[in-house]
Short mmCIF file of all heavy atoms in Angstrom, two decimals:
data_model
loop_
_atom_site.label_atom_id
_atom_site.label_comp_id
_atom_site.label_asym_id
_atom_site.label_seq_id
_atom_site.Cartn_x
_atom_site.Cartn_y
_atom_site.Cartn_z
N GLY A 440 -149.86 202.93 62.46
CA GLY A 440 -150.66 204.13 62.74
C GLY A 440 -151.57 204.46 61.57
O GLY A 440 -152.75 204.79 61.74
N ALA A 441 -151.03 204.33 60.36
CA ALA A 441 -151.83 204.62 59.17
C ALA A 441 -152.97 203.61 59.03
O ALA A 441 -154.10 203.98 58.69
CB ALA A 441 -150.93 204.59 57.93
N PHE A 442 -152.69 202.33 59.32
CA PHE A 442 -153.74 201.32 59.21
C PHE A 442 -154.83 201.55 60.27
O PHE A 442 -156.03 201.36 60.00
CB PHE A 442 -153.16 199.91 59.35
CG PHE A 442 -152.29 199.51 58.18
CD1 PHE A 442 -151.25 198.61 58.35
CD2 PHE A 442 -152.52 200.05 56.93
CE1 PHE A 442 -150.46 198.24 57.27
CE2 PHE A 442 -151.72 199.68 55.84
CZ PHE A 442 -150.68 198.78 56.03
N ALA A 443 -154.39 201.94 61.47
CA ALA A 443 -155.36 202.24 62.51
C ALA A 443 -156.25 203.41 62.09
O ALA A 443 -157.48 203.36 62.22
CB ALA A 443 -154.64 202.55 63.82
N ALA A 444 -155.60 204.44 61.54
CA ALA A 444 -156.35 205.61 61.08
C ALA A 444 -157.33 205.23 59.98
O ALA A 444 -158.46 205.72 59.93
CB ALA A 444 -155.37 206.68 60.58
N TYR A 445 -156.90 204.33 59.10
CA TYR A 445 -157.73 203.88 57.97
C TYR A 445 -159.00 203.21 58.49
O TYR A 445 -160.12 203.56 58.09
CB TYR A 445 -156.87 202.93 57.14
CG TYR A 445 -157.55 202.11 56.08
CD1 TYR A 445 -158.24 202.72 55.03
CD2 TYR A 445 -157.45 200.72 56.09
CE1 TYR A 445 -158.83 201.96 54.05
CE2 TYR A 445 -158.03 199.95 55.10
CZ TYR A 445 -158.72 200.57 54.09
OH TYR A 445 -159.30 199.80 53.11
N ALA A 446 -158.82 202.29 59.45
CA ALA A 446 -159.99 201.60 59.98
C ALA A 446 -160.89 202.56 60.76
O ALA A 446 -162.11 202.45 60.74
CB ALA A 446 -159.54 200.45 60.90
N TYR A 447 -160.26 203.53 61.42
CA TYR A 447 -160.99 204.43 62.31
C TYR A 447 -161.79 205.49 61.56
O TYR A 447 -162.97 205.71 61.84
CB TYR A 447 -159.97 205.09 63.24
CG TYR A 447 -160.52 206.09 64.23
CD1 TYR A 447 -161.51 205.74 65.16
CD2 TYR A 447 -160.02 207.39 64.27
CE1 TYR A 447 -161.97 206.66 66.07
CE2 TYR A 447 -160.48 208.31 65.19
CZ TYR A 447 -161.46 207.94 66.09
OH TYR A 447 -161.93 208.85 67.00
N TRP A 448 -161.17 206.11 60.57
CA TRP A 448 -161.82 207.24 59.91
C TRP A 448 -162.53 206.86 58.61
O TRP A 448 -163.26 207.68 58.05
CB TRP A 448 -160.80 208.37 59.65
CG TRP A 448 -160.60 209.25 60.84
CD1 TRP A 448 -161.57 209.93 61.53
CD2 TRP A 448 -159.36 209.56 61.51
NE1 TRP A 448 -161.01 210.64 62.58
CE2 TRP A 448 -159.66 210.44 62.59
CE3 TRP A 448 -158.04 209.20 61.30
CZ2 TRP A 448 -158.69 210.95 63.44
CZ3 TRP A 448 -157.08 209.71 62.15
CH2 TRP A 448 -157.40 210.57 63.21
N PHE A 449 -162.30 205.64 58.12
CA PHE A 449 -162.94 205.22 56.86
C PHE A 449 -164.44 205.47 56.85
O PHE A 449 -164.98 206.09 55.92
CB PHE A 449 -162.62 203.75 56.59
CG PHE A 449 -163.10 203.23 55.28
CD1 PHE A 449 -162.34 203.34 54.14
CD2 PHE A 449 -164.35 202.64 55.17
CE1 PHE A 449 -162.78 202.88 52.92
CE2 PHE A 449 -164.82 202.17 53.95
CZ PHE A 449 -164.03 202.29 52.83
N PRO A 450 -165.17 205.04 57.89
CA PRO A 450 -166.63 205.24 57.85
C PRO A 450 -167.05 206.70 57.84
O PRO A 450 -168.13 207.04 57.33
CB PRO A 450 -167.14 204.55 59.12
CG PRO A 450 -165.97 204.16 59.91
CD PRO A 450 -164.74 204.29 59.09
N LYS A 451 -166.20 207.57 58.38
CA LYS A 451 -166.56 209.00 58.39
C LYS A 451 -166.70 209.54 56.97
O LYS A 451 -167.54 210.37 56.69
CB LYS A 451 -165.47 209.78 59.14
CG LYS A 451 -165.69 211.27 59.26
CD LYS A 451 -166.79 211.61 60.22
CE LYS A 451 -168.01 212.19 59.55
NZ LYS A 451 -169.10 212.45 60.47
N PHE A 452 -165.86 209.02 56.07
CA PHE A 452 -165.82 209.60 54.73
C PHE A 452 -166.67 208.81 53.74
O PHE A 452 -166.98 209.30 52.67
CB PHE A 452 -164.37 209.69 54.23
CG PHE A 452 -163.57 210.67 55.02
CD1 PHE A 452 -162.86 210.29 56.14
CD2 PHE A 452 -163.58 212.02 54.68
CE1 PHE A 452 -162.15 211.20 56.90
CE2 PHE A 452 -162.88 212.94 55.43
CZ PHE A 452 -162.16 212.53 56.55
N THR A 453 -167.02 207.56 54.08
CA THR A 453 -167.75 206.74 53.11
C THR A 453 -169.17 206.43 53.55
O THR A 453 -170.01 206.11 52.73
CB THR A 453 -167.03 205.40 52.91
OG1 THR A 453 -166.92 204.79 54.20
CG2 THR A 453 -165.65 205.61 52.33
N GLY A 454 -169.42 206.46 54.86
CA GLY A 454 -170.75 206.09 55.33
C GLY A 454 -170.91 204.61 55.63
O GLY A 454 -171.98 204.17 56.03
N PHE A 455 -169.86 203.82 55.40
CA PHE A 455 -169.93 202.42 55.81
C PHE A 455 -168.58 202.03 56.38
O PHE A 455 -167.56 202.61 56.05
CB PHE A 455 -170.31 201.50 54.66
CG PHE A 455 -169.38 201.55 53.47
CD1 PHE A 455 -168.34 200.64 53.33
CD2 PHE A 455 -169.55 202.52 52.48
CE1 PHE A 455 -167.49 200.68 52.24
CE2 PHE A 455 -168.69 202.58 51.39
CZ PHE A 455 -167.67 201.67 51.26
N ARG A 456 -168.59 201.03 57.28
CA ARG A 456 -167.32 200.67 57.90
C ARG A 456 -166.69 199.49 57.18
O ARG A 456 -167.32 198.81 56.38
CB ARG A 456 -167.49 200.37 59.39
CG ARG A 456 -168.60 199.41 59.73
CD ARG A 456 -168.57 199.12 61.20
NE ARG A 456 -167.29 198.49 61.55
CZ ARG A 456 -166.96 198.11 62.78
NH1 ARG A 456 -167.80 198.32 63.77
NH2 ARG A 456 -165.82 197.53 63.01
N LEU A 457 -165.42 199.28 57.44
CA LEU A 457 -164.71 198.17 56.83
C LEU A 457 -165.10 196.89 57.57
O LEU A 457 -165.35 196.91 58.78
CB LEU A 457 -163.21 198.39 56.93
CG LEU A 457 -162.68 199.52 56.05
CD1 LEU A 457 -161.31 199.97 56.53
CD2 LEU A 457 -162.62 199.10 54.60
N HIS A 458 -165.12 195.78 56.83
CA HIS A 458 -165.51 194.51 57.42
C HIS A 458 -164.55 194.14 58.55
O HIS A 458 -163.34 194.05 58.36
CB HIS A 458 -165.51 193.43 56.35
CG HIS A 458 -166.10 192.15 56.83
ND1 HIS A 458 -165.33 191.14 57.34
CD2 HIS A 458 -167.39 191.73 56.92
CE1 HIS A 458 -166.11 190.13 57.71
NE2 HIS A 458 -167.37 190.47 57.47
N GLU A 459 -165.10 193.92 59.74
CA GLU A 459 -164.27 193.75 60.92
C GLU A 459 -163.47 192.43 60.89
O GLU A 459 -162.27 192.42 61.16
CB GLU A 459 -165.18 193.80 62.16
CG GLU A 459 -164.47 193.73 63.49
CD GLU A 459 -163.66 194.97 63.83
OE1 GLU A 459 -163.83 196.00 63.15
OE2 GLU A 459 -162.85 194.89 64.76
N GLY A 460 -164.14 191.34 60.51
CA GLY A 460 -163.47 190.04 60.52
C GLY A 460 -162.26 190.01 59.59
O GLY A 460 -161.16 189.61 59.98
N LEU A 461 -162.47 190.47 58.35
CA LEU A 461 -161.36 190.49 57.39
C LEU A 461 -160.25 191.41 57.87
O LEU A 461 -159.07 191.14 57.69
CB LEU A 461 -161.86 190.92 56.02
CG LEU A 461 -162.63 189.86 55.25
CD1 LEU A 461 -163.37 190.48 54.07
CD2 LEU A 461 -161.69 188.77 54.76
N GLY A 462 -160.66 192.51 58.51
CA GLY A 462 -159.67 193.44 59.05
C GLY A 462 -158.80 192.76 60.10
O GLY A 462 -157.58 192.97 60.14
N LYS A 463 -159.44 191.94 60.91
CA LYS A 463 -158.67 191.26 61.96
C LYS A 463 -157.72 190.24 61.35
O LYS A 463 -156.58 190.09 61.81
CB LYS A 463 -159.62 190.59 62.97
CG LYS A 463 -160.20 191.62 63.93
CD LYS A 463 -160.99 191.01 65.06
CE LYS A 463 -161.32 192.10 66.09
NZ LYS A 463 -162.65 191.96 66.66
N VAL A 464 -158.20 189.52 60.32
CA VAL A 464 -157.32 188.56 59.65
C VAL A 464 -156.09 189.28 59.08
O VAL A 464 -154.94 188.87 59.27
CB VAL A 464 -158.08 187.81 58.53
CG1 VAL A 464 -157.12 186.91 57.75
CG2 VAL A 464 -159.21 186.99 59.13
N ALA A 465 -156.36 190.40 58.39
CA ALA A 465 -155.26 191.17 57.80
C ALA A 465 -154.30 191.63 58.90
O ALA A 465 -153.08 191.56 58.76
CB ALA A 465 -155.80 192.38 57.03
N PHE A 466 -154.89 192.09 60.01
CA PHE A 466 -154.05 192.56 61.12
C PHE A 466 -153.12 191.47 61.61
O PHE A 466 -151.91 191.67 61.75
CB PHE A 466 -154.94 193.05 62.26
CG PHE A 466 -154.19 193.16 63.57
CD1 PHE A 466 -153.37 194.24 63.81
CD2 PHE A 466 -154.29 192.16 64.53
CE1 PHE A 466 -152.66 194.34 65.00
CE2 PHE A 466 -153.57 192.25 65.72
CZ PHE A 466 -152.76 193.34 65.95
N TRP A 467 -153.67 190.26 61.85
CA TRP A 467 -152.82 189.20 62.39
C TRP A 467 -151.75 188.78 61.40
O TRP A 467 -150.62 188.49 61.79
CB TRP A 467 -153.68 188.00 62.85
CG TRP A 467 -154.37 188.30 64.15
CD1 TRP A 467 -155.70 188.52 64.34
CD2 TRP A 467 -153.74 188.46 65.43
NE1 TRP A 467 -155.94 188.81 65.66
CE2 TRP A 467 -154.77 188.79 66.36
CE3 TRP A 467 -152.43 188.39 65.88
CZ2 TRP A 467 -154.51 189.02 67.71
CZ3 TRP A 467 -152.17 188.61 67.23
CH2 TRP A 467 -153.21 188.93 68.13
N CYS A 468 -152.11 188.77 60.09
CA CYS A 468 -151.09 188.45 59.09
C CYS A 468 -149.95 189.47 59.16
O CYS A 468 -148.78 189.13 59.15
CB CYS A 468 -151.69 188.45 57.68
SG CYS A 468 -152.74 187.05 57.37
N TRP A 469 -150.34 190.74 59.23
CA TRP A 469 -149.31 191.80 59.27
C TRP A 469 -148.44 191.65 60.51
O TRP A 469 -147.21 191.71 60.43
CB TRP A 469 -149.96 193.19 59.29
CG TRP A 469 -150.00 193.84 57.95
CD1 TRP A 469 -151.07 193.87 57.10
CD2 TRP A 469 -148.96 194.56 57.30
NE1 TRP A 469 -150.75 194.57 55.97
CE2 TRP A 469 -149.45 195.01 56.07
CE3 TRP A 469 -147.64 194.88 57.64
CZ2 TRP A 469 -148.69 195.76 55.17
CZ3 TRP A 469 -146.88 195.62 56.75
CH2 TRP A 469 -147.41 196.05 55.52
N LEU A 470 -149.07 191.45 61.66
CA LEU A 470 -148.29 191.43 62.91
C LEU A 470 -147.35 190.23 62.93
O LEU A 470 -146.14 190.37 63.15
CB LEU A 470 -149.23 191.40 64.12
CG LEU A 470 -148.49 191.39 65.45
CD1 LEU A 470 -147.64 192.64 65.62
CD2 LEU A 470 -149.46 191.26 66.61
N VAL A 471 -147.92 189.04 62.62
CA VAL A 471 -147.09 187.84 62.64
C VAL A 471 -146.01 187.94 61.56
O VAL A 471 -144.82 187.69 61.80
CB VAL A 471 -147.96 186.57 62.45
CG1 VAL A 471 -147.10 185.34 62.27
CG2 VAL A 471 -148.90 186.42 63.63
N GLY A 472 -146.44 188.35 60.36
CA GLY A 472 -145.48 188.49 59.27
C GLY A 472 -144.37 189.46 59.61
O GLY A 472 -143.19 189.20 59.35
N PHE A 473 -144.74 190.54 60.24
CA PHE A 473 -143.75 191.55 60.60
C PHE A 473 -142.72 190.97 61.56
O PHE A 473 -141.50 191.14 61.38
CB PHE A 473 -144.46 192.75 61.23
CG PHE A 473 -143.53 193.73 61.86
CD1 PHE A 473 -142.79 194.59 61.06
CD2 PHE A 473 -143.37 193.79 63.23
CE1 PHE A 473 -141.91 195.48 61.63
CE2 PHE A 473 -142.49 194.69 63.80
CZ PHE A 473 -141.76 195.53 63.00
N LEU A 474 -143.20 190.26 62.57
CA LEU A 474 -142.26 189.70 63.56
C LEU A 474 -141.38 188.63 62.92
O LEU A 474 -140.16 188.59 63.14
CB LEU A 474 -143.04 189.11 64.75
CG LEU A 474 -143.77 190.17 65.60
CD1 LEU A 474 -144.63 189.51 66.65
CD2 LEU A 474 -142.78 191.12 66.24
N VAL A 475 -142.00 187.78 62.08
CA VAL A 475 -141.21 186.73 61.43
C VAL A 475 -140.19 187.34 60.45
O VAL A 475 -139.08 186.84 60.28
CB VAL A 475 -142.13 185.72 60.70
CG1 VAL A 475 -141.33 184.70 59.93
CG2 VAL A 475 -143.05 185.04 61.70
N ALA A 476 -140.56 188.46 59.84
CA ALA A 476 -139.68 189.06 58.85
C ALA A 476 -138.51 189.80 59.50
O ALA A 476 -137.42 189.86 58.92
CB ALA A 476 -140.46 190.01 57.95
N PHE A 477 -138.73 190.38 60.68
CA PHE A 477 -137.69 191.27 61.20
C PHE A 477 -136.94 190.75 62.42
O PHE A 477 -135.79 191.13 62.61
CB PHE A 477 -138.26 192.66 61.45
CG PHE A 477 -138.55 193.37 60.17
CD1 PHE A 477 -139.82 193.41 59.64
CD2 PHE A 477 -137.51 193.95 59.44
CE1 PHE A 477 -140.07 194.02 58.42
CE2 PHE A 477 -137.75 194.56 58.23
CZ PHE A 477 -139.03 194.60 57.72
N LEU A 478 -137.55 189.88 63.22
CA LEU A 478 -136.78 189.38 64.36
C LEU A 478 -135.52 188.61 63.91
O LEU A 478 -134.46 188.78 64.51
CB LEU A 478 -137.67 188.54 65.29
CG LEU A 478 -138.74 189.37 66.03
CD1 LEU A 478 -139.56 188.50 66.97
CD2 LEU A 478 -138.12 190.54 66.80
N PRO A 479 -135.60 187.80 62.83
CA PRO A 479 -134.35 187.14 62.38
C PRO A 479 -133.26 188.15 62.00
O PRO A 479 -132.08 187.85 62.13
CB PRO A 479 -134.79 186.35 61.15
CG PRO A 479 -136.25 186.15 61.32
CD PRO A 479 -136.75 187.36 62.04
N LEU A 480 -133.69 189.34 61.55
CA LEU A 480 -132.68 190.31 61.12
C LEU A 480 -131.86 190.81 62.31
O LEU A 480 -130.68 191.12 62.17
CB LEU A 480 -133.31 191.49 60.40
CG LEU A 480 -134.06 191.21 59.09
CD1 LEU A 480 -134.26 192.51 58.32
CD2 LEU A 480 -133.32 190.22 58.24
N TYR A 481 -132.52 190.91 63.49
CA TYR A 481 -131.74 191.29 64.68
C TYR A 481 -130.64 190.27 64.92
O TYR A 481 -129.46 190.63 65.14
CB TYR A 481 -132.65 191.35 65.92
CG TYR A 481 -133.48 192.60 66.02
CD1 TYR A 481 -134.87 192.55 66.04
CD2 TYR A 481 -132.88 193.85 66.14
CE1 TYR A 481 -135.64 193.70 66.15
CE2 TYR A 481 -133.63 195.01 66.25
CZ TYR A 481 -135.02 194.93 66.26
OH TYR A 481 -135.77 196.06 66.37
N ALA A 482 -131.01 189.00 64.85
CA ALA A 482 -130.02 187.94 65.08
C ALA A 482 -128.94 187.99 64.01
O ALA A 482 -127.74 187.95 64.31
CB ALA A 482 -130.72 186.58 65.09
N LEU A 483 -129.36 188.13 62.75
CA LEU A 483 -128.38 188.16 61.66
C LEU A 483 -127.41 189.33 61.84
O LEU A 483 -126.21 189.22 61.57
CB LEU A 483 -129.11 188.28 60.32
CG LEU A 483 -129.67 186.98 59.76
CD1 LEU A 483 -130.64 187.27 58.63
CD2 LEU A 483 -128.55 186.08 59.28
N GLY A 484 -127.96 190.47 62.31
CA GLY A 484 -127.10 191.63 62.53
C GLY A 484 -126.02 191.33 63.56
O GLY A 484 -124.85 191.67 63.37
N PHE A 485 -126.42 190.66 64.63
CA PHE A 485 -125.43 190.29 65.65
C PHE A 485 -124.41 189.31 65.10
O PHE A 485 -123.26 189.28 65.50
CB PHE A 485 -126.13 189.68 66.87
CG PHE A 485 -126.60 190.70 67.85
CD1 PHE A 485 -127.85 190.61 68.43
CD2 PHE A 485 -125.77 191.75 68.23
CE1 PHE A 485 -128.29 191.56 69.34
CE2 PHE A 485 -126.20 192.70 69.14
CZ PHE A 485 -127.46 192.60 69.70
N MET A 486 -124.88 188.48 64.14
CA MET A 486 -123.96 187.48 63.58
C MET A 486 -123.03 188.12 62.54
O MET A 486 -122.13 187.44 62.04
CB MET A 486 -124.77 186.34 62.94
CG MET A 486 -125.51 185.49 63.98
SD MET A 486 -126.94 184.64 63.30
CE MET A 486 -126.15 183.32 62.45
N GLY A 487 -123.25 189.36 62.23
CA GLY A 487 -122.32 190.05 61.33
C GLY A 487 -122.84 190.30 59.93
O GLY A 487 -122.11 190.79 59.08
N ALA A 488 -124.11 189.99 59.67
CA ALA A 488 -124.65 190.23 58.33
C ALA A 488 -124.87 191.72 58.14
O ALA A 488 -125.55 192.35 58.95
CB ALA A 488 -125.96 189.47 58.14
N VAL A 489 -124.28 192.30 57.09
CA VAL A 489 -124.48 193.72 56.84
C VAL A 489 -125.71 193.93 55.98
O VAL A 489 -126.24 193.00 55.37
CB VAL A 489 -123.25 194.34 56.15
CG1 VAL A 489 -122.06 194.32 57.08
CG2 VAL A 489 -122.97 193.66 54.84
N ARG A 490 -126.18 195.17 55.96
CA ARG A 490 -127.34 195.49 55.13
C ARG A 490 -126.90 195.54 53.66
O ARG A 490 -125.71 195.59 53.36
CB ARG A 490 -127.92 196.84 55.57
CG ARG A 490 -127.01 198.01 55.27
CD ARG A 490 -127.35 199.26 56.04
NE ARG A 490 -128.63 199.83 55.65
CZ ARG A 490 -128.97 201.10 55.89
NH1 ARG A 490 -128.13 201.91 56.50
NH2 ARG A 490 -130.13 201.56 55.53
N ARG A 491 -127.88 195.56 52.75
CA ARG A 491 -127.63 195.75 51.32
C ARG A 491 -126.69 194.69 50.76
O ARG A 491 -125.85 194.97 49.92
CB ARG A 491 -127.03 197.14 51.07
CG ARG A 491 -127.96 198.25 51.50
CD ARG A 491 -127.30 199.59 51.54
NE ARG A 491 -128.30 200.62 51.88
CZ ARG A 491 -128.01 201.87 52.18
NH1 ARG A 491 -126.77 202.27 52.16
NH2 ARG A 491 -128.95 202.72 52.49
N MET A 492 -126.87 193.43 51.21
CA MET A 492 -125.94 192.38 50.82
C MET A 492 -126.67 191.40 49.92
O MET A 492 -127.70 190.86 50.30
CB MET A 492 -125.47 191.70 52.10
CG MET A 492 -124.49 190.60 51.90
SD MET A 492 -124.10 189.89 53.49
CE MET A 492 -125.73 189.48 54.07
N ASP A 493 -126.14 191.17 48.73
CA ASP A 493 -126.84 190.27 47.81
C ASP A 493 -126.19 188.90 47.72
O ASP A 493 -126.77 187.98 47.18
CB ASP A 493 -126.96 190.89 46.42
CG ASP A 493 -125.61 191.08 45.77
OD1 ASP A 493 -124.64 191.36 46.51
OD2 ASP A 493 -125.52 190.96 44.54
N HIS A 494 -124.96 188.75 48.25
CA HIS A 494 -124.33 187.43 48.26
C HIS A 494 -123.63 187.21 49.59
O HIS A 494 -123.09 188.15 50.17
CB HIS A 494 -123.30 187.31 47.12
CG HIS A 494 -123.93 187.02 45.81
ND1 HIS A 494 -124.32 188.00 44.93
CD2 HIS A 494 -124.25 185.85 45.20
CE1 HIS A 494 -124.85 187.46 43.86
NE2 HIS A 494 -124.82 186.14 43.99
N TYR A 495 -123.67 185.96 50.07
CA TYR A 495 -122.88 185.61 51.25
C TYR A 495 -122.49 184.14 51.13
O TYR A 495 -123.10 183.39 50.36
CB TYR A 495 -123.64 185.87 52.55
CG TYR A 495 -125.01 185.24 52.62
CD1 TYR A 495 -125.18 183.92 53.02
CD2 TYR A 495 -126.14 185.97 52.25
CE1 TYR A 495 -126.43 183.35 53.07
CE2 TYR A 495 -127.40 185.40 52.29
CZ TYR A 495 -127.54 184.08 52.71
OH TYR A 495 -128.77 183.51 52.74
N ASP A 496 -121.48 183.77 51.89
CA ASP A 496 -120.98 182.41 51.77
C ASP A 496 -121.90 181.44 52.52
O ASP A 496 -122.31 181.71 53.66
CB ASP A 496 -119.56 182.34 52.33
CG ASP A 496 -118.84 181.12 51.81
OD1 ASP A 496 -119.09 180.02 52.33
OD2 ASP A 496 -118.06 181.29 50.85
N ALA A 497 -122.19 180.30 51.88
CA ALA A 497 -123.11 179.33 52.48
C ALA A 497 -122.61 178.83 53.83
O ALA A 497 -123.40 178.51 54.72
CB ALA A 497 -123.31 178.15 51.53
N SER A 498 -121.26 178.81 53.99
CA SER A 498 -120.71 178.26 55.23
C SER A 498 -121.03 179.13 56.44
O SER A 498 -120.86 178.70 57.58
CB SER A 498 -119.20 178.11 55.10
OG SER A 498 -118.62 179.39 54.98
N LEU A 499 -121.49 180.37 56.22
CA LEU A 499 -121.81 181.23 57.36
C LEU A 499 -123.05 180.76 58.12
O LEU A 499 -123.28 181.16 59.25
CB LEU A 499 -122.04 182.68 56.86
CG LEU A 499 -120.76 183.40 56.42
CD1 LEU A 499 -121.11 184.63 55.60
CD2 LEU A 499 -119.92 183.79 57.62
N GLY A 500 -123.86 179.94 57.44
CA GLY A 500 -125.04 179.41 58.11
C GLY A 500 -126.16 180.43 58.30
O GLY A 500 -126.96 180.32 59.21
N TRP A 501 -126.22 181.43 57.45
CA TRP A 501 -127.24 182.48 57.59
C TRP A 501 -128.52 182.16 56.85
O TRP A 501 -129.54 182.80 57.06
CB TRP A 501 -126.70 183.83 57.05
CG TRP A 501 -125.60 184.41 57.87
CD1 TRP A 501 -125.22 184.04 59.13
CD2 TRP A 501 -124.72 185.48 57.49
NE1 TRP A 501 -124.17 184.81 59.56
CE2 TRP A 501 -123.83 185.70 58.56
CE3 TRP A 501 -124.59 186.27 56.34
CZ2 TRP A 501 -122.84 186.68 58.53
CZ3 TRP A 501 -123.61 187.24 56.30
CH2 TRP A 501 -122.74 187.44 57.38
N GLN A 502 -128.44 181.18 55.93
CA GLN A 502 -129.54 181.04 54.98
C GLN A 502 -130.87 180.74 55.68
O GLN A 502 -131.91 181.25 55.28
CB GLN A 502 -129.23 179.96 53.96
CG GLN A 502 -130.18 180.03 52.76
CD GLN A 502 -129.65 179.27 51.55
OE1 GLN A 502 -128.78 178.41 51.66
NE2 GLN A 502 -130.20 179.59 50.39
N GLY A 503 -130.81 179.92 56.75
CA GLY A 503 -132.05 179.58 57.45
C GLY A 503 -132.78 180.82 57.94
O GLY A 503 -133.99 180.99 57.73
#
Side-chain angles (χ1 to χ4, degrees):
Chain A
F442 291 151
Y445 168 60
Y447 179 57
W448 277 304
F449 185 87
K451 181 72 248 177
F452 294 91
T453 56
F455 58 95
R456 51 175 298 180
L457 291 162
H458 189 266
E459 184 70 13
L461 284 166
K463 282 188 171 142
V464 174
F466 163 79
W467 284 109
C468 287
W469 261 98
L470 180 61
V471 172
F473 170 76
L474 293 174
V475 176
F477 289 99
L478 292 182
L480 297 197
Y481 281 119
L483 280 166
F485 274 136
M486 291 156 77
V489 294
R490 68 197 293 200
R491 299 168 176 170
M492 181 182 55
D493 65 326
H494 280 91
Y495 53 84
D496 200 282
S498 65
L499 288 164
W501 292 346
Q502 195 162 19

